[in-house]
Amino acid sequence: MIQLDKHYEPEEVEKRWGKFWQEKNYFHADETLDKPTFTIVIPPPNITGRLHIGHAFNNTLQDILTRWKRMQGFNALWQPGTDHAGIATQNVVERQLHAEGTDRQALGRDAFVERVWKWRDESGGTITEQLKKLGSSLDWQRDRFTMDEGLSRAVREVFVTLYEDGLIYKGDYIINWCPRCQTALSDLEVEYQDAQGHLYHLKYAFKDGDGFLVIATTRPETMLGDTAVAVNPKDERYMKFKGKTLILPIVNREIPLIEDGYVDTSFGTGALKVTPAHDPNDFELGRRHNLPSVNVMAPNGTMNAEAGQTYEGLDRFECRKKLVQDLKNAGVLLKIEDLNHSVGHCYRCKTVVEPYLSKQWFVKAKPLAEPAMEAVRNGSIKIVPKFWENTYFEWMENIRDWCISRQIWWGHQIPAWTCKACSEIQVVRETPEKCSACSSTDLEQETDVLDTWFSSALWPFSTLGWPEKTETLKKFYPTTVLCTGFDILFFWVARMIMMGIKFMDDVPFRHVYIHALIRDAEGQKMSKTKGNVIDPLEVMEQYGTDALRFTLAAFAAQGRDIKLDEDRIDGYRNFCNKLWNASRFVLMNLEGYEGTCQLDEQADRSIADQWILSRLNNTTREVNQALEDFKFNDAALTVYKFIWNEYCDWYIEFSKSRLAVEGPGKKAAQNVLLHVLEASLKLLHPFMPFITEEIWQKLPKNGDSIMISAFPEFRADRSDAKVEEAMGKVMEVITGVRNIRGEMNLNPGLKLNALIKTGHADLEATLKKHAGFIRELARVDQITIGPDIVKTEVSASSVLGGMDLIIPLEGMMDFAEEKNRIEKELKKIAKDLIFLDKKLSNPNFVKKAPAEVIEKDEKRKTTLSEKQAKLETHLQTIEQAIR
Ligand SMILES: [Zn+2]
Ligand SMILES: [Zn+2]
């Protein structure tokens, strides 16, 4: 029989099997197979990405589902791919150019885009390699990229169709503008942070010289673009000024006083300056009242000619400083108040975002959102955990048109051409040669590219071949599950649902599983500056990939946050070692065994054999159910407990005496040991693919790889509640004896006698029948069981379920020495308790110490008190013996 090495070496094993699986093409899903399908599309990582703990988590869960379903006989496709990540990638290459002393403008558009492609070809595959290292069983043959030819065609098709259906339009709109990246940002790409700012109170005089109004603003430089002042028509304070004209200070422009119900009478003075070109609400106000828009800023955040000669060319914040001084000098600035308010920042470069008026392309969102909401309402798509559905509906009900144009170069250039001769705009699938109106060939393509999320919104069908009607598309769409974090529920998930329904007439996926976000052990967000980042690549190197994967699964409770404790990874590495050692034991005890892992139905099975088979069967049911419900942590811990506690700690021990004697008992034990080991490896395989393959390959198994073997199935006839109960009692007694042995500090090799008092005839019969296990595993010589047991004078005892366990101690130990030991220990505990009490009753300490420190001390106090009580009981027993 083949044996296992003494130690498990993950690095070598992982490389070997990773290569083997790929060479055998096991990750490939064949669209011609007539099997039920199971499909997941990967949330495409950015080509700029490096595997972080969030990726490792997200992809481990997807791989668990895919491997599990593949083993269950599904035609399982896990679709890989990467995202071109417009702004992020452009920024990386721009930084490189900057370091070389040049920039994209100097290079020109075509050369720049070429440069980005070159970067992508050389460096964009990093994350793909890291995903392979994680063991991800993605169908690499089908690898896609959001800018590859097919996907680009899908993007054009969708854009043109939406345009033809009146769902894409170009318009003046106030958008979020990053003056650094010089591009529009969608509402979702703006990060709001609280900042200390100021509220400036300014005096706007009436043209007729009769008095003034006071308005308040946090961005005084925008006043240069004011085109009105608005008050609420119900505001009594301003009734008398109706229809008057004001003079804009510094600029000296005449602006009207208008009335609009939108104005909040309780904010500031109730008079609002209106700057349609620089505030989204003012923009709407301006539209309602036909106000002109005066744009006073250039795209790079400096003031333009409209701001006036004094300010032209100044950066917006410099301008603010100078203007405030000028307003003060002119006697217009009444006061400056401190104000804590929230300020939008670019999610890429953290520059303060400017609301900005510009020409942009938009997707009309409402008509697409309606069916997308209905799909979740009627259960066509199930969001797990369900509480995220509310968040989804809330957002979808308030959805605004989606600004899809970006003023960068890296991305899908918008397929719109303007005729320079007659200004006709053509939005078409194929690049036009001439104007459709005047036949001029002088056409210019729109310079903007599409928001990165535009192409990823098509991901579930574009990766499967759409707009071609491929076999793959027919077979694998709609996909089964989408597995993602809640941070991209709207960026991505909602938009995939909208686009899927619009273009495929069916939802893109049946389930959306939303996993929690990973935080550190204290619940803090991981960040480089805090230094609390757990790097999955380092962890994989140090503990092995299986240990990392298992830890992530074990932590995957359904909720919002996960507190990841690095110590647990070490714990699950020990689990690998435990499994390895148990497997070694089994393999070393297979001498003379000629069967396979298949269960021998004719074997002479003991109750221990029946028990482990029943437990295996129930474990199988629980694991399958938990995975069905996306309860990854329950599934992982169920397998863990079965392998560690039941198989290794109990069953292997039970089997030892039978293995020692040649005969049918030995054969049965070997067969059950093997069968349960193989089934355990299969149950564990989706979580720990590498070590399970390594061990499985050494077993007398059928098949070429565990990853394409059949996943265990529950069989009603294999569970036996009576056997489980009986063995439960036997184990309870064994544990009881072991505990007393430990607490009384008795020599582990010493044979004890045991008395078991019980009034239950069934229990008595069960224990008598299986007393052999107790003698062997608890090192007991004589066992007396019955209802009339009398406790011997010098003994230790323990109350178990339905029975009392009594261990006579006479002649088993040196009582004087033991008394001494216990007294010493009690003294030490008393001292520790006094110290802890003092600490915890000190109000200064309690006030200042972090909650977890106090909690730890409280816990220690409880532990010590419990130990103290136990030792005192033992001491009494010992003292009785001496007397
Ligand atoms: Zn930016
Ligand atoms: Zn034309």
Side-chain angles (χ1 to χ4, degrees):
M1 195 60 62
I2 308 163
Q3 301 299 331
L4 286 180
D5 293 341
K6 199 143 189 221
H7 298 289
Y8 176 56
E9 303 290 350
E11 212 184 314
E12 184 272 326
V13 168
E14 288 171 17
K15 269 204 199 114
R16 186 153 38 81
W17 293 119
K19 212 171 135 220
F20 172 80
W21 293 328
Q22 288 200 48
E23 279 171 3
K24 294 277 182 181
N25 214 10
Y26 290 147
F27 299 165
H28 180 58
D30 183 348
E31 68 273 12
T32 63
L33 290 183
D34 190 23
K35 287 202 288 187
T37 58
F38 175 85
T39 317
I40 301 186
V41 289
I42 194 174
N46 291 349
I47 47 170
T48 52
R50 186 177 185 276
L51 194 80
H52 58 60
I53 197 77
H55 293 126
F57 181 49
N58 175 258
N59 287 290
T60 293
L61 300 185
Q62 294 175 75
D63 194 47
I64 288 170
L65 291 174
T66 309
R67 284 180 184 268
W68 168 58
K69 283 292 172 186
R70 192 184 286 121
M71 287 174 78
Q72 281 193 333
F74 284 78
N75 194 1
L77 168 61
W78 185 14
Q79 172 65 49
T82 43
D83 193 288
H84 67 281
I87 298 182
T89 310
Q90 173 149 338
N91 278 352
V92 168
V93 178
E94 279 195 80
R95 270 200 300 274
Q96 284 185 349
L97 292 178
H98 184 75
E100 292 163 20
T102 179
D103 58 26
R104 70 177 158 116
Q105 276 78 14
L107 228 61
R109 183 166 191 146
D110 290 346
F112 177 78
V113 169
E114 210 171 290
R115 173 82 188 241
V116 184
W117 272 108
K118 189 169 155 254
W119 180 88
R120 183 258 175 184
D121 292 341
E122 284 164 7
S123 318
T126 306
I127 188 126
T128 300
E129 288 313 306
Q130 291 166 338
L131 283 171
K132 286 179 183 167
K133 203 168 172 329
L134 190 66
S136 310
S137 60
L138 287 147
D139 189 350
W140 295 110
Q141 237 170 284
R142 299 180 186 271
D143 199 10
R144 300 307 294 266
F145 177 50
T146 46
M147 293 259 288
D148 69 25
E149 216 187 307
L151 268 62
S152 300
R153 221 152 62 77
V155 164
R156 267 204 187 183
E157 181 62 36
V158 166
F159 187 95
V160 176
T161 308
L162 289 175
Y163 183 82
E164 287 167 351
D165 292 353
L167 291 171
I168 279 184
Y169 64 93
K170 190 177 188 181
D172 265 334
Y173 209 73
I174 193 115
I175 39 93
N176 305 296
W177 180 261
C178 175
R180 217 280 329 161
C181 300
Q182 297 221 18
T183 183
L185 300 171
S186 76
D187 291 344
L188 294 169
E189 290 168 328
V190 180
E191 285 173 1
Y192 287 92
Q193 285 161 18
D194 278 345
Q196 188 58 53
H198 303 287
L199 191 62
Y200 302 85
H201 292 256
L202 308 177
K203 214 161 91 175
Y204 284 19
F206 284 109
K207 186 187 169 192
D208 58 14
D210 188 11
F212 59 85
L213 289 183
V214 178
I215 59 95
T217 178
T218 56
R219 294 185 298 148
E221 67 280 6
T222 62
M223 68 150 298
L224 300 169
D226 283 1
T227 52
V229 169
V231 294
N232 193 302
K234 289 186 188 138
D235 195 334
E236 308 224 333
R237 291 172 289 181
Y238 301 112
M239 292 277 190
K240 55 184 176 210
F241 302 123
K242 238 180 178 173
K244 280 195 166 198
T245 299
L246 294 133
I247 302 292
L248 188 60
I250 307 283
V251 184
N252 293 322
R253 178 158 60 230
E254 291 185 12
I255 56 173
L257 178 69
I258 60 167
E259 292 166 82
D260 195 288
Y262 160 78
V263 181
D264 180 0
T265 53
S266 64
F267 181 78
T269 57
L272 181 79
K273 70 194 254 321
V274 184
T275 327
H278 293 281
D279 180 280
N281 296 314
D282 294 9
F283 175 75
E284 299 291 340
L285 241 164
R287 281 203 165 169
R288 283 201 289 278
H289 297 268
N290 285 320
L291 296 174
S293 292
V294 178
N295 185 349
V296 294
M297 250 177 246
N300 64 359
T302 63
M303 308 308 288
N304 64 17
E306 291 283 356
Q309 263 182 1
T310 329
Y311 308 107
E312 188 180 354
L314 289 182
D315 174 77
R316 56 190 162 149
F317 297 115
E318 278 171 57
C319 169
R320 181 179 299 178
K321 249 189 240 160
K322 174 154 179 43
L323 181 64
V324 166
Q325 192 56 49
D326 293 348
L327 288 164
K328 202 183 271 173
N329 294 344
V332 175
L333 182 63
L334 291 177
K335 64 172 173 177
I336 305 176
E337 277 178 304
D338 283 342
L339 181 77
N340 209 337
H341 63 151
S342 103
V343 176
H345 293 76
C346 170
Y347 83 120
R348 269 288 144 217
C349 74
K350 315 297 171 202
T351 299
V352 174
V353 163
E354 197 66 37
Y356 196 72
L357 190 65
S358 64
K359 284 250 186 290
Q360 300 291 341
W361 293 84
F362 292 87
V363 171
K364 252 187 217 162
K366 272 251 181 290
L368 295 169
E370 274 310 323
M373 279 193 280
E374 182 53 26
V376 174
R377 238 182 259 126
N378 69 21
S380 306
I381 295 177
K382 289 195 175 67
I383 301 183
V384 184
K386 204 174 162 54
F387 62 79
W388 287 114
E389 284 185 3
N390 287 335
T391 318
Y392 174 79
F393 287 130
E394 212 170 282
W395 188 75
M396 292 296 264
E397 270 153 23
N398 296 303
I399 197 166
R400 303 215 313 196
D401 285 356
W402 173 19
C403 174
I404 48 170
S405 42
R406 295 291 182 274
Q407 290 66 47
I408 55 173
W409 289 348
W410 176 240
H412 299 101
Q413 203 170 340
I414 289 178
W417 286 262
T418 308
C419 171
K420 283 195 173 162
C422 76
S423 299
E424 171 80 4
I425 294 175
Q426 296 180 81
V427 174
V428 283
R429 288 167 182 83
E430 302 297 333
T431 307
E433 276 167 16
K434 54 184 202 267
C435 171
S436 58
C438 76
S439 295
S440 160
T441 51
D442 196 3
L443 304 179
E444 190 181 37
Q445 187 174 1
E446 173 68 67
T447 54
D448 290 358
V449 300
L450 289 166
D451 179 7
T452 292
W453 297 100
F454 192 89
S455 50
S456 36
L458 322 179
W459 192 245
F461 51 92
S462 64
T463 51
L464 300 177
W466 190 92
E468 297 297 317
K469 291 187 175 67
T470 60
E471 269 310 300
T472 304
L473 186 65
K474 229 191 277 170
K475 195 92 191 177
F476 296 105
Y477 191 95
T479 70
T480 320
V481 189
L482 181 83
C483 184
T484 184
F486 63 80
D487 49 339
I488 51 175
L489 183 58
F490 309 127
F491 271 119
W492 192 46
V493 181
R495 288 165 181 169
M496 278 191 287
I497 299 176
M498 294 194 275
M499 293 299 193
I501 295 174
K502 168 83 182 162
F503 288 93
M504 293 296 298
D505 243 345
D506 200 351
V507 294
F509 24 71
R510 300 283 179 218
H511 294 90
V512 180
Y513 173 69
I514 298 185
H515 58 68
L517 292 193
I518 295 193
R519 295 170 178 271
D520 75 2
E522 271 76 52
Q524 302 218 51
K525 216 174 161 177
M526 288 190 190
S527 77
K528 277 194 192 124
T529 42
K530 276 191 211 137
N532 60 350
V533 173
I534 297 179
D535 179 351
L537 296 160
E538 276 172 28
V539 169
M540 280 150 75
E541 211 153 285
Q542 193 181 349
Y543 301 96
T545 301
D546 287 332
L548 171 68
R549 289 174 56 118
F550 197 87
T551 307
L552 292 170
F555 270 97
Q558 291 182 3
R560 282 166 202 271
D561 296 316
I562 287 169
K563 291 182 190 173
L564 186 63
D565 184 350
E566 214 175 334
D567 292 347
R568 290 277 290 272
I569 307 173
D570 195 28
Y572 291 124
R573 173 174 57 183
N574 290 341
F575 178 46
C576 289
N577 293 337
K578 180 102 179 171
L579 174 67
W580 186 260
N581 291 335
S583 307
R584 274 191 91 220
F585 171 85
V586 173
L587 285 167
M588 284 193 297
N589 282 283
L590 287 184
E591 275 159 64
Y593 181 75
E594 275 156 9
T596 61
C597 296
Q598 193 131 16
L599 203 56
D600 175 5
E601 299 296 350
Q602 311 306 319
D604 176 23
R605 283 187 210 137
S606 71
I607 185 170
D609 298 337
Q610 293 164 34
W611 168 76
I612 197 72
L613 290 172
S614 177
R615 289 300 308 135
L616 169 66
N617 195 41
N618 288 335
T619 301
T620 299
R621 190 193 57 218
E622 285 169 39
V623 170
N624 278 317
Q625 189 58 53
L627 287 176
E628 218 56 82
D629 297 339
F630 302 102
K631 291 184 173 162
F632 296 92
N633 56 326
D634 288 352
L637 294 175
T638 302
V639 189
Y640 175 90
K641 281 190 209 146
F642 175 74
I643 294 179
W644 189 300
N645 302 338
E646 301 187 305
Y647 183 71
C648 295
D649 284 355
W650 286 110
Y651 182 68
I652 287 187
E653 295 306 314
F654 286 139
S655 71
K656 279 181 178 168
S657 63
R658 304 178 82 219
L659 289 172
V661 185
E662 290 302 327
K666 180 172 175 175
K667 291 259 175 295
Q670 287 173 321
N671 179 247
V672 174
L673 273 169
L674 253 185
H675 174 77
V676 178
L677 176 60
E678 195 209 19
S680 304
L681 292 172
K682 288 178 176 180
L683 289 173
L684 187 60
H685 177 76
F687 305 89
M688 290 187 159
F690 296 104
I691 190 172
T692 51
E693 181 79 284
E694 175 73 3
I695 298 171
W696 187 84
Q697 292 283 351
K698 303 270 162 82
L699 305 181
K701 37 61 178 169
N702 291 313
D704 296 325
S705 167
I706 190 171
M707 71 162 286
I708 50 162
S709 70
F711 201 77
E713 272 175 54
F714 174 73
R715 276 178 51 175
D717 63 324
R718 283 267 162 83
S719 283
D720 191 331
K722 276 207 176 115
V723 163
E724 287 197 24
E725 204 200 329
M727 283 309 279
K729 285 298 168 194
V730 170
M731 292 187 288
E732 204 181 340
V733 173
I734 295 170
T735 307
V737 177
R738 285 175 177 169
N739 285 347
I740 290 177
R741 196 189 284 275
E743 283 157 10
M744 298 307 291
N745 205 26
L746 292 163
N747 184 334
L750 189 68
K751 285 253 182 187
L752 303 171
N753 291 329
L755 309 174
I756 299 168
K757 182 181 176 181
T758 178
H760 303 283
D762 291 3
L763 184 54
E764 184 185 334
T766 302
L767 292 177
K768 277 185 171 155
K769 194 169 165 196
H770 306 301
F773 288 123
I774 301 173
R775 282 201 197 92
E776 204 184 298
L777 267 66
R779 295 198 150 264
V780 170
D781 197 9
Q782 285 183 22
I783 306 180
T784 320
I785 308 166
D788 308 315
I789 303 282
V790 185
K791 193 177 172 199
T792 52
E793 202 159 305
V794 185
S795 61
S797 64
S798 170
V799 179
L800 307 177
M803 54 189 158
D804 289 341
L805 170 68
I806 300 147
I807 305 289
L809 294 174
E810 197 65 64
M812 293 292 166
M813 60 198 295
D814 182 337
F815 291 115
E817 194 185 301
E818 182 60 7
K819 178 169 185 265
N820 208 348
R821 182 189 73 87
I822 295 178
E823 280 171 345
K824 250 192 210 158
E825 202 169 336
L826 277 170
K827 244 186 221 160
K828 189 174 175 304
I829 290 177
K831 217 169 119 189
D832 287 353
L833 278 173
I834 289 171
F835 176 76
L836 274 176
D837 268 335
K838 234 183 184 168
K839 200 164 149 192
L840 288 168
S841 58
N842 178 352
N844 247 339
F845 171 75
V846 175
K847 217 163 79 192
K848 282 183 195 149
E852 52 284 10
V853 171
I854 295 178
E855 201 182 311
K856 212 170 142 194
D857 281 347
E858 296 277 11
K859 250 193 205 150
R860 195 167 135 68
K861 199 178 140 184
T862 318
T863 316
L864 283 174
S865 304
E866 281 167 9
K867 200 168 170 196
Q868 188 179 41
K870 254 189 188 159
L871 282 170
E872 272 163 3
T873 320
H874 292 331
L875 189 60
Q876 274 172 17
T877 315
I878 305 273
E879 278 170 343
Q880 265 174 1
I882 294 176
R883 228 180 284 133

